[in-house]
Amino acid sequence: NAGVMQNPRHLVRRRGQEARLRCSPMKGHSHVYWYRQLPEEGLKFMVYLQKENIIDESGMPKERFSAEFPKEGPSILRIQQVVRGDSAAYFCASSAGVVETQYFGPGTRLLVL
Amino acid sequence: DQQVKQNSPSLSVQEGRISILNCDYTNSMFDYFLWYKKYPAEGPTFLISISSIKDKNEDGRFTVFLNKSAKHLSLHIVPSQPGDSAVYFCAPSRSGAGSYQLTFGKGTKLSVIP
């Protein structure tokens, strides 16, 4: 049973470009969460999605960031017009239910030059 | 504002001895506490949890203690093994609305010396 998959594992972008991060939850999981870890910090909650619905995006920056979890395919975290401050590790987690344990993927390390 | 503090960025322990990792929190609404372990270049892995109705939970070599009045919890690993070398995150949450939002500390890097 494969765990949470994230790709790419590493992503380099220049300022102003777009970054697309993908997350495939564990089989049977329909709840997806995105967290961001800035250097020397703990993980910070960004957004919680279920299939085709954003449930809570209270942790998302108001501009340039968006997330989706379509009926088919992986969840996507999209960052438009990236800036150097977006450089971080982005982790996706999934769970079978909202009160169930969250299982994390290996993360995508984004570097903005 | 840091709701979760892990004041020791790093800890070194001899193999076979006890490792004690501490975590303090300020939000009295937290009532469920998780510990995650993270190896380099991997995502956090769930380790052990405790509900606020308990003051101790044990799972093999891992025991978590909760002191609600002090808003403090600790993770004990005994005996420590080299494979335990990792970063450990304390991650409280609260029941009800927003229970899925884990609030992570900055982590403590544990090094177990053979």
Side-chain angles (χ1 to χ4, degrees), chain A residues 20-58:
Chain A
R20 281 191 178 230
L21 289 62
R22 295 175 190 77
C23 169
S24 297
M26 282 180 72
K27 188 176 181 181
H29 286 190
S30 59
H31 301 254
V32 166
Y33 316 84
W34 285 92
Y35 290 80
R36 177 167 68 172
Q37 184 183 23
L38 294 169
E40 309 300 323
E41 297 289 326
L43 283 72
K44 296 281 194 299
F45 169 81
M46 297 181 75
V47 62
Y48 162 39
L49 309 103
Q50 292 182 30
K51 281 287 186 182
E52 300 185 275
N53 287 304
I54 297 174
I55 308 302
D56 180 354
E57 55 182 352
S58 60

Side-chain angles (χ1 to χ4, degrees), chain B residues 14-101:
Chain B
Q14 206 72 34
E15 180 180 3
R17 305 295 289 268
I18 185 171
S19 296
I20 300 176
L21 296 94
N22 294 303
C23 176
D24 296 289
Y25 61 96
T26 56
N27 190 339
S28 56
M29 300 295 288
F30 289 145
D31 57 4
Y32 193 64
F33 304 86
L34 303 93
W35 284 92
Y36 280 82
K37 171 181 176 179
K38 185 182 179 302
Y39 293 116
E42 294 185 12
T45 303
F46 170 72
L47 188 60
I48 192 170
S49 63
I50 188 168
S51 164
S52 60
I53 62 172
K54 293 186 172 183
D55 54 19
K56 176 182 175 182
N57 188 27
E58 191 173 348
D59 183 1
R61 296 185 297 111
F62 302 90
T63 303
V64 57
F65 295 91
L66 175 63
N67 182 334
K68 289 189 292 292
S69 61
K71 295 191 178 70
H72 176 84
L73 63 156
S74 60
L75 174 67
H76 292 210
I77 307 172
V78 55
S80 301
Q81 299 174 353
D84 297 329
S85 297
V87 177
Y88 289 80
F89 291 98
C90 169
S93 68
R94 53 188 172 86
S95 54
S99 61
Y100 43 82
Q101 285 194 25

